[in-house]
Amino acid sequence: MQLRFVGCGDAFGSGGRLNTCFHVSGRAANFLIDCGASALPALKRLEIVREDIDLILITHFHGDHFAGLPFLLLDAQFSRRTRPLTVAGPQGIETRLREVMEALFEHSSKTRQRFELNLVELAPEQRRTFGAITVTPYPVVHGESGGPFLAYRVEAEGRTLAYSADTEWTETLIPLAHGADLFIAEAYMYEKVVKNHLSLKTLEQHLPAIGAKRLVLTHMSDDMLSRLGDVPHLAAEDGMVLVF
Ligand SMILES: [Zn+2]
Ligand SMILES: [Zn+2]
C-alpha cells in the first residue's frame, strides 16, 4: 500500500502547505482521506488519476478537509467520469455537501451526475466495508462547529492505517491507532496545549500506549513547523510518498 500526501497543511496554509488530502492506493484499494479546498489542483499537479478513486473519506466539515469536494465533483462531471464514486463521512454529509456545492457553484447540487455518486453516513465505532477497504470511525474532539468529528482506522490489503483527523488529545486515539502500520497524527502545536488541536508533547506521552509501528506528523502550524529541526519524528510534506 502507498500513501501520498496530496496536502498536509492546516487551515491557514502554514508553511505554504496545501489543505489536507491523502491519496491511498494498493492492488485494489484506491481512495482519498479528506478533500480540503486545494485538493483538485494538488491532485492534478501530482498527476493522480481521479477516475480511479472509488472512495473519499471525510473526517469533518471544516473547509481545509471538506471544501475540495465541489471542485472535485464538478471536474468529474466535466471530465465525463463514469466510474461510481462513494463519499463517506460524518452524520449530515448529504446536507453539508449540498450546502457547500450551492455556496461555491450555484445550482451545482441539482445537476444530474453522469456517474453514480453514493453518499454514506458513518457512525462512531461502526465498521463499514467499501470493496477492499474496511473503515472503523472513532469519535474525536475538535470543538463546537464543523462536526461530528471522526478519526479513521482503515484496513486494506493486510495493512492498517490510522488517521487522527483534527482533534485535541482523546483516549479514543489509542484504539484508533493501536498497532497500526502507519499512524498519521495531527501535531498542530509543539508543546503548547490548545483547545481542539493536539500538541506534539502531549501526543508523545501516549505513543507507548498507542504502539503504532510508524508515526507521521501532519496539520502543523507555524509554531510546530518552526520546531521541526528538534523533532525526532517523520513530518509530512506535500507530495511525500510512504509505502507501508
Ligand atoms: Zn484542519
Ligand atoms: Zn478542523
Side-chain angles (χ1 to χ4, degrees), residues 45-83:
R45 183 176 293 185
L46 295 170
E47 298 182 349
I48 291 169
V49 181
R50 281 106 52 220
E51 174 85 21
D52 292 346
I53 296 166
D54 299 309
L55 170 69
I56 304 174
L57 294 171
I58 298 291
T59 60
H60 64 295
F61 302 121
H62 286 156
D64 58 316
H65 298 257
F66 177 61
L69 276 177
F71 301 98
L72 199 83
L73 295 176
L74 284 189
D75 176 71
Q77 179 77 353
F78 287 112
S79 63
R80 301 185 173 268
R81 181 186 176 105
T82 54
R83 195 181 174 101

Side-chain angles (χ1 to χ4, degrees), residues 1 24 26-31 33 55 57 125-138 151-163 175-182 213 244:
M1 295 282 285
V24 187
R27 289 187 307 279
N30 197 316
F31 62 101
I33 299 178
L55 170 69
L57 294 171
E125 286 164 55
Q126 295 194 4
R127 280 161 70 99
R128 288 287 294 254
T129 297
F130 302 94
I133 301 154
T134 299
V135 181
T136 310
Y138 286 84
Y152 294 123
R153 183 179 176 96
V154 182
E155 286 145 285
E157 301 179 20
R159 292 285 182 273
T160 302
L161 162 70
Y163 170 43
L176 169 87
H178 192 255
D181 293 293
L182 181 61
K213 294 184 184 127
F244 66 102

Side-chain angles (χ1 to χ4, degrees), residues 9-11 20 60 62 64-65 142 163 165-166 186 188 197 219:
D10 61 4
T20 297
H60 64 295
H62 286 156
D64 58 316
H65 298 257
H142 186 47
Y163 170 43
D166 286 1
E186 82 132 285
Y188 189 66
H197 286 287
H219 205 276

Side-chain angles (χ1 to χ4, degrees), residues 2-10 16-25 30-50 53 56 64 68 72 184 216 218-219 236-242:
Q2 165 181 305
L3 182 142
R4 190 155 206 189
F5 289 92
V6 178
C8 66
D10 61 4
R17 289 158 185 241
L18 300 173
N19 293 158
T20 297
C21 180
F22 312 144
H23 178 235
V24 187
S25 57
N30 197 316
F31 62 101
L32 295 182
I33 299 178
D34 278 340
C35 190
S38 54
L40 180 63
L43 287 163
K44 289 193 172 184
R45 183 176 293 185
L46 295 170
E47 298 182 349
I48 291 169
V49 181
R50 281 106 52 220
I53 296 166
I56 304 174
D64 58 316
L72 199 83
I184 303 170
V216 188
T218 190
H219 205 276
E237 286 175 29
D238 290 356
M240 178 192 273
V241 175
L242 297 174

